[in-house]
Amino acid sequence: ADPAAAKSRAGQCFVCHGADGLAKVPDAPNLAGQNAAYLVKALKDYRSGKRENEVMSMMAKNLSDDDIAMVASYFSSIAVTVKAP
Amino acid sequence: ADPAAAKSRAGQCFVCHGADGLAKVPDAPNLAGQNAAYLVKALKDYRSGKRENEVMSMMAKNLSDDDIAMVASYFSSIAVTVKAP
């Protein structure tokens, strides 16, 4: 997906998940560099109700498959480097 | 939690999630630097059945609250640096 388009489509997620993919609120998970297939499944499960969360069920309700693909591509494209303890 | 003890308790997770918290199998999410409270909730939901996944329901079934706290502390303690596109 075109990075700029993906970023703008994911804009609605930034208040909790951050434009950098690092959670800005206590209960939200970090999404930076997350596995795209995992994000797609999570969003579809929130949309279908298979998975429930007060905020995410509402956010996912009206997402199209294309929205979901774009949001997943944005967060999974964030480069992550890790240092295990 | 004592890092070495947390790491050994989380050992059972490494085959899919990696000792560095980067997923080693397609469907598994990265857990490196993930929000500890989010990990605790996910594991408890898999244990209670509120959330279902073929592998995770089985893995979480016999985890104690202490196991869950230790595993969550291990993965959340992995340092992560990000670079948004």
Side-chain angles (χ1 to χ4, degrees), chain A residues 3 7 19-23 25-35 37-38 41-42 46 50-53 74 77-85, chain B residues 3 7 19-23 25-35 37-38 41-42 46 50-53 74 77-85:
Chain A
K7 184 165 189 173
D20 59 0
L22 296 179
V25 298
D27 294 338
N30 297 325
L31 299 182
Q34 185 56 279
N35 172 344
Y38 178 80
K41 180 172 184 336
Y46 281 126
K50 186 166 175 257
R51 189 171 164 184
E52 278 161 24
N53 174 284
Y74 174 74
S77 70
I78 296 173
V80 168
T81 48
V82 297
K83 207 169 78 50
Chain B
K7 183 165 191 174
D20 59 1
L22 296 179
V25 297
D27 295 338
N30 297 325
L31 299 182
Q34 186 55 279
N35 172 342
Y38 177 80
K41 180 172 183 337
Y46 280 126
K50 186 165 177 259
R51 189 171 164 185
E52 277 162 19
N53 172 284
Y74 174 74
S77 70
I78 296 172
V80 168
T81 47
V82 298
K83 209 168 79 49

Side-chain angles (χ1 to χ4, degrees), chain A residues 31-69:
Chain A
L31 299 182
Q34 185 56 279
N35 172 344
Y38 178 80
L39 292 174
V40 167
K41 180 172 184 336
L43 285 171
K44 289 187 173 177
D45 286 354
Y46 281 126
R47 185 175 64 182
S48 70
K50 186 166 175 257
R51 189 171 164 184
E52 278 161 24
N53 174 284
E54 210 186 332
V55 175
M56 284 307 295
S57 301
M58 185 187 59
M59 295 300 286
K61 204 165 45 173
N62 302 316
L63 292 180
S64 67
D65 286 352
D66 187 52
D67 291 333
I68 286 177

